[in-house]
Amino acid sequence: MFSVLNMRSVSGDLTAKAGIRNAALGLFAERGHSAVSVRQIAEAAGVSPALVLHHFGSKDGLREAVDRYAAAQFDAFLQAPEEVGDVLTSGSNASMAELIAKVLPPGSPLPAYLRRLLLEGDPAGRELFRRWYEVSRALVERLIAAGFAKPTEDLQVRAAFMLTADLALLVLREPLTDALGFDPVSPDGLSRWAAEVTRIYREGAFVVPDETTDRSADR
Amino acid sequence: MFSVLNMRSVSGDLTAKAGIRNAALGLFAERGHSAVSVRQIAEAAGVSPALVLHHFGSKDGLREAVDRYAAAQFDAFLQAPEEVGDVLTSGSNASMAELIAKVLPPGSPLPAYLRRLLLEGDPAGRELFRRWYEVSRALVERLIAAGFAKPTEDLQVRAAFMLTADLALLVLREPLTDALGFDPVSPDGLSRWAAEVTRIYREGAFVVPDETTDRSADR
DNA sequence: GTCGTCCCTGAACAGATGTTTAGTGTACTG
DNA sequence: CAGTACACTAAACATCTGTTCAGGGACGAC
């Protein structure tokens, strides 16, 4: 209808194409890929269904574009690992979920899309997880070397467990909110959740059978 | 084609209706509700599409029936909480995932369907999670009272965390297998995973900054 | 026998699906 | 100016969707 074309020369990414991508991101995150139609995406973006296919070739092409875009957004979180010790000393940002919830605007569809990405089984999500795992493993390694974390026989599983337990908060957010009575990904809920997780990671949760003999065995 | 009708009088649940339910369970678990058509379910069950609707009214009615069936299967795991101490003393069966993987036959679609149930956001999954959370909370309470677990300020979050970290293994099984190089839900992988988790729950993972001053600050 | 009941099917329904085609209008290039 | 390039759309495409309809065939009741 109106002349929106001049936008193209203004900014390289504020075009209708980006609008379609964003609309698809939101709808995919909310309902899942197969439950969203091209027409619904087009309506949400305010364009015709044909334009969606014109820009992305097919619905699957759009999905891949959205996957790449979302994965790129999340990769940004891996850029700044800060100082090694900060992860522990400043009680915050110890977890990926915490970091994500803090940096992203409250209504962002990205956390929900991350859930889909990890669960829908597409290669983009698997690769993202794999990269995060590598970072997580390297971090645990450095924390142990720096004396902030206890050494373990199974570094890989330890890193995987901590990453998994972290992401699980995001993935199981809905049933958790329902069961707990509060949203553990909200700012308040998140600090409460993180406090208890830190407690477990510092003190453990179970009582070791006979502490004295165990300590003597350590020396 | 053949006369399968006499089956009806033999067993109350080995009918074509149950076959449809099982076929739907497998397909739903594998691809998700919205990605499976009635015709695909009918073909997998070896019946006509019309029969699916005849027995379950609608596709959504079938989904609800499958949900109820799956939830009932999983509720069985809550029946035998055994002795309180057993959960800790015998290193096994400390986790729900462990228990599920052990009891169910290797090729069972139930774990995958549980994933869908928890993630698809339908009320059946939320109610299941809520019940498991209650059981988990009660268990932690009893473990603390019995001296097997350390007391905590936030019992609810502790129970929720342990349940979540547990289920996350099932939910994130695919990317975990990809990143770790082995399937943590397989018998071998599971024991390796459980060993490290137990280590964390007993000894913690982080080094507490300065134990003595911290204790004096507590008083 | 005839009736009713229930399991089951083939064919068709209207609507939604992803996608293609032909074409319009605007903008930059020569 | 004509010409190309690109964003964009309306309409139609074949196919798939969930669902309905009319009926077939086997069973027990009367």
Side-chain angles (χ1 to χ4, degrees), chain A residues 150 158 192 196 201 203 205, chain B residues 150 158 196 201 203 205:
Chain A
K150 297 182 179 174
R158 169 153 302 185
R192 180 175 167 188
E196 180 61 25
Y201 284 166
E203 307 167 11
Chain B
K150 297 181 180 175
R158 168 154 299 187
E196 180 60 27
Y201 284 166
E203 308 167 10

Side-chain angles (χ1 to χ4, degrees), chain A residues 34 88 119 130 148 150 152 154 158 164 168 171 175 178 192 196 199-203 205-207 209, chain B residues 34 88 119 129-130 148 150 152 154 158 168 171 175-176 178 192 196 199 201-203 205-207 209:
Chain A
S34 57
L88 266 184
L119 302 170
R130 181 193 279 272
F148 287 116
K150 297 182 179 174
T152 176
D154 201 335
R158 169 153 302 185
T164 301
V171 165
D178 192 56
R192 180 175 167 188
E196 180 61 25
R199 204 172 296 142
I200 292 175
Y201 284 166
R202 284 160 99 119
E203 307 167 11
F206 292 162
V207 175
Chain B
S34 56
L88 266 185
L119 301 171
F129 185 88
R130 181 194 279 272
F148 288 115
K150 297 181 180 175
T152 176
D154 202 333
R158 168 154 299 187
V171 165
L176 268 173
D178 192 55
R192 181 175 166 187
E196 180 60 27
R199 205 171 296 140
Y201 284 166
R202 282 160 99 121
E203 308 167 10
F206 293 161
V207 174

Side-chain angles (χ1 to χ4, degrees), chain A residues 31 34-35 87-88 94 115-116 118-122 125-127 129-130 133-134 143 147-158 160-169 171-172 174-180 182 192-194 196-209 215, chain B residues 31 34-35 88 94 115-116 118-122 125-127 129-130 133-134 143 147-158 160-169 171-172 174-176 178-180 182 192-194 196-209 211 214-215:
Chain A
R31 306 180 212 167
S34 57
V87 181
L88 266 184
R115 220 176 63 191
R116 301 280 176 188
L118 290 173
L119 302 170
E120 218 109 321
D122 48 352
R126 246 182 309 200
E127 207 196 331
F129 186 88
R130 181 193 279 272
Y133 166 70
E134 296 299 341
L143 284 174
F148 287 116
K150 297 182 179 174
T152 176
E153 299 171 20
D154 201 335
L155 195 84
Q156 299 174 51
V157 171
R158 169 153 302 185
F161 172 80
M162 294 180 77
L163 175 62
T164 301
D166 189 5
L167 290 176
L169 183 57
V171 165
L172 293 173
E174 255 194 49
L176 268 174
T177 301
D178 192 56
L180 280 173
F182 68 92
R192 180 175 167 188
W193 182 273
E196 180 61 25
V197 173
T198 304
R199 204 172 296 142
I200 292 175
Y201 284 166
R202 284 160 99 119
E203 307 167 11
F206 292 162
V207 175
V208 306
R215 283 211 176 155
Chain B
R31 306 180 212 167
S34 56
L88 266 185
R115 221 175 63 191
R116 300 279 174 187
L118 290 173
L119 301 171
E120 217 109 325
D122 48 352
R126 245 181 310 199
E127 206 196 333
F129 185 88
R130 181 194 279 272
Y133 165 69
E134 297 298 341
L143 283 174
F148 288 115
K150 297 181 180 175
T152 176
E153 298 171 20
D154 202 333
L155 195 84
Q156 299 175 51
V157 170
R158 168 154 299 187
F161 172 81
M162 295 180 75
L163 174 62
T164 301
D166 189 5
L167 291 176
L169 184 57
V171 165
L172 294 173
E174 256 194 48
L176 268 173
D178 192 55
L180 280 173
F182 68 91
R192 181 175 166 187
W193 182 273
E196 180 60 27
V197 174
T198 305
R199 205 171 296 140
I200 291 175
Y201 284 166
R202 282 160 99 121
E203 308 167 10
F206 293 161
V207 174
V208 305
E211 204 170 328
D214 247 321
R215 284 206 178 158

